[in-house]
Amino acid sequence: NDQTGLYSVFRNPWHTPLTIFIAVVGVIAIVALVTVAVLQNKPLIPKYKYGIVLDAGSSHTAMYIYEWPAEKDNNTGRVEQTHSCKVKGPGISSYASDPKKAGQSLQVCMKEAERFVPSERHEETPLYLGATAGMRLLNIENSTASDQVFQAVSESLQKSPFSFQGARILSGQEEGAFGWVTVNYLDDRLKQVCTTGALDLGGASTQISFVSDAFDGSESPNNSVNFRLYGNDYNLYTHSFLCYGKDQVLRMALSGPGSISDPCFHNGYSESKNYMTLYNSPCVSKRKPVSSPADFTHVGKGNFYQCQELVKSVFDFTQCKYTQCSFNGVYQPTLQGPFGAFSAYYFVMNFLNLTDTSVPLQSVKEALARYCSTPWETIKKQHPGIKLKYLAEYCFSGTYILTLLTEGYNFTSETFSKIRFIKQIKGSDAGWTLGYMLNLTNMIPAEAPDTPLLPHAGYVSVITVIALVLFLLFVLSLRPLWPRCSQKPQIV
């Protein structure tokens, strides 16, 4: 009996109440540990905000939709373009005689915006319209018509589900400066010392913007814009030349002496054109002859070098009250750094297959000369899908671009190679609209982000406590194996 009693003392030590308690608490602790870890580390669904900018240019209007994290990145938000839509028809300034059509023309793109922006974000999504040189010219020519166009556009956009913030004319300085911000933001150069200059060419104006060590703003304050971005200060030189977009310069070149026999159009080109249409712009209205026929015949003779001389006649290089100028008496510091050329710069040079600036400048001119000398009939056969009006103007536009860059802005054979002709950077169109949107998002309050279950310190504390509990339970579970100080049973 004594031996049986001795065996019962040591039988099944794991089945005691304490051991069962330890096991239950241990299981609970393990489940709690796994649950907290899973919930704490589950992926957070990012929140996004949206903004819409309409670029109302002289020749057409384009809509851009931008997206950025609602939580913001360095208080600016990482803005990216998610969709674009080109409005059918001409620019809104062309609807001066029928303003309602200006508003109606935007509706197709606005319907697209409703599909691309999540419906729950519609009411809070800001919508802006910025007009550039076309409306600047209309405002100069007929301010009443300009106001009516803006009123029609505003009424149309107010009907959209978005938060319409107004339509306005951007100054040339704003257009140039925001274009510079766009290029450098997309290239991630705003955190670097060396930035990229911006060259923008539209139908009615052209802009040049860059940072130069030789420019402190004192010699020409009107061309100075100061930015503080990502902790760096930038003193930007920028100038916009109204009337020096490619469409308006074509009018100036046509309205000069010898414009009927035109070296900037292909040999064999011949079109009857209306003088009233040619001179219906403030850029050329003063050039209109006192007496002129209603129509004239525009005949091409295709000579690049003669075309270049004709284009030079629209620039004034005779006056400069500063230490150095570009043209028309406008101050310009020494060119510095790489440049990005976009908008019409890209589209024209891309069509001409001349975007590779590693090719020597002289070779670019020779290639353009060969293109301009190609007969009109041959050009039409080579490009059957392009509207004849645009096709006819590529020789002139290419010549104007090279002349503007080399004679106007003083790019040399060496600095020309630093120009990069760009359409998009990282999926976003180059232009002033993204820079404009970046500026506006600084005024949009950040939204509270989705947060983990626990703050980091709390998460660490909980995990530590659970780990200590599990360790303690593990030690207690080994209690039957602890060394015992017991007396040997006495045999009586």
Side-chain angles (χ1 to χ4, degrees), residues 437-460:
M437 194 72 241
L438 285 169
N439 182 59
L440 295 172
T441 58
N442 283 327
M443 298 181 287
I444 299 173
E447 196 173 282
D450 288 331
T451 57
L453 178 67
L454 297 169
H456 181 70
Y459 173 64
V460 172

Side-chain angles (χ1 to χ4, degrees), residues 51 88 100 112 134 163 172 187 200 205 215 251 278 305 316 322 346 370-371 427 432 470:
K88 290 185 178 180
K100 286 187 178 180
E112 281 194 23
S163 177
D187 259 347
D200 189 0
S205 69
F215 178 65
R251 293 183 181 217
L278 176 63
Y305 299 101
D316 181 3
Y322 303 104
Y346 171 81
R370 288 192 298 272
Y371 174 79
W432 61 266
L470 286 172

Side-chain angles (χ1 to χ4, degrees), residues 77-329:
R78 183 65 193 180
V79 183
E80 295 180 350
Q81 179 182 314
T82 61
H83 183 68
S84 65
C85 176
K86 185 175 180 180
V87 175
K88 290 185 178 180
I92 61 173
S93 58
S94 302
Y95 296 103
S97 59
D98 194 356
K100 286 187 178 180
K101 287 186 177 179
Q104 294 169 357
S105 69
L106 308 178
Q107 289 305 306
V108 174
C109 283
M110 293 313 302
K111 289 297 181 183
E112 281 194 23
E114 291 182 31
R115 296 197 303 270
F116 279 88
V117 176
S119 57
E120 64 272 16
R121 292 291 192 183
H122 282 180
E123 291 186 3
E124 66 185 53
T125 296
L127 169 63
Y128 300 86
L129 184 141
T132 52
M135 288 301 291
R136 284 181 217 137
L137 291 175
L138 179 60
N139 192 50
I140 293 171
E141 183 182 20
N142 188 338
S143 60
T144 300
S146 173
D147 292 341
Q148 290 174 345
V149 169
F150 271 125
Q151 181 179 352
V153 164
S154 297
E155 289 175 356
S156 177
L157 295 178
Q158 283 170 350
K159 295 176 182 177
S160 75
F162 306 108
S163 177
F164 179 56
Q165 301 295 310
R168 71 180 185 89
I169 297 175
L170 270 70
S171 69
Q173 189 183 59
E174 287 179 312
E175 188 177 2
F178 288 138
W180 178 87
V181 171
T182 296
V183 169
N184 285 278
Y185 180 86
L186 293 174
D187 259 347
D188 294 319
R189 287 186 172 269
L190 292 179
K191 299 178 183 179
Q192 302 176 21
V193 176
C194 179
T195 59
T196 300
L199 297 165
D200 189 0
L201 178 62
S205 69
T206 186
Q207 288 74 232
I208 179 171
S209 308
F210 62 99
V211 172
S212 173
D213 294 338
F215 178 65
D216 61 6
S218 60
E219 190 167 5
S220 182
N222 292 335
N223 295 126
S224 177
V225 175
N226 292 307
F227 282 111
R228 182 168 180 80
L229 300 164
Y230 292 100
N232 294 322
D233 293 309
Y234 300 98
N235 184 24
L236 181 68
Y237 168 84
T238 184
H239 189 82
S240 176
F241 291 90
L242 187 60
C243 296
Y244 281 83
K246 66 181 184 64
D247 297 338
Q248 294 299 323
V249 170
L250 177 58
R251 293 183 181 217
M252 287 193 275
L254 279 174
S255 60
S259 62
I260 292 181
S261 181
D262 194 339
C264 299
F265 283 68
H266 298 277
N267 186 31
Y269 175 87
S270 180
E271 289 289 331
S272 178
K273 297 183 178 179
N274 185 273
Y275 263 115
M276 291 298 293
T277 303
L278 176 63
Y279 288 105
N280 67 353
S281 164
C283 296
V284 293
S285 57
K286 294 180 180 179
R287 295 169 176 253
K288 183 179 180 180
V290 177
S291 60
S292 60
D295 300 302
F296 70 99
T297 301
H298 186 195
V299 179
K301 60 180 183 179
N303 188 303
F304 164 75
Y305 299 101
Q306 292 179 12
C307 176
Q308 191 168 42
E309 292 303 314
L310 178 61
V311 169
K312 285 181 185 179
S313 68
V314 306
F315 300 107
D316 181 3
F317 299 111
T318 61
Q319 55 174 326
C320 180
K321 65 179 182 180
Y322 303 104
T323 54
Q324 54 190 23
C325 293
S326 52
F327 57 93
N328 295 3

Side-chain angles (χ1 to χ4, degrees), residues 378-427:
T378 303
I379 292 294
K380 287 192 291 184
K381 290 178 182 178
Q382 291 175 346
H383 307 281
I386 298 179
K387 193 174 180 179
L388 293 181
K389 177 187 181 300
Y390 301 130
L391 185 61
E393 296 176 2
Y394 278 114
C395 170
F396 164 79
S397 298
T399 305
Y400 173 56
I401 285 173
L402 289 183
T403 307
L404 173 63
L405 293 174
T406 57
E407 304 290 335
Y409 293 148
N410 303 313
F411 280 92
T412 63
S413 298
E414 180 183 352
T415 54
F416 181 80
S417 64
K418 296 180 180 179
I419 299 174
R420 182 164 54 110
F421 293 98
I422 52 177
K423 178 185 179 183
Q424 291 187 327
I425 304 174
K426 297 179 181 177

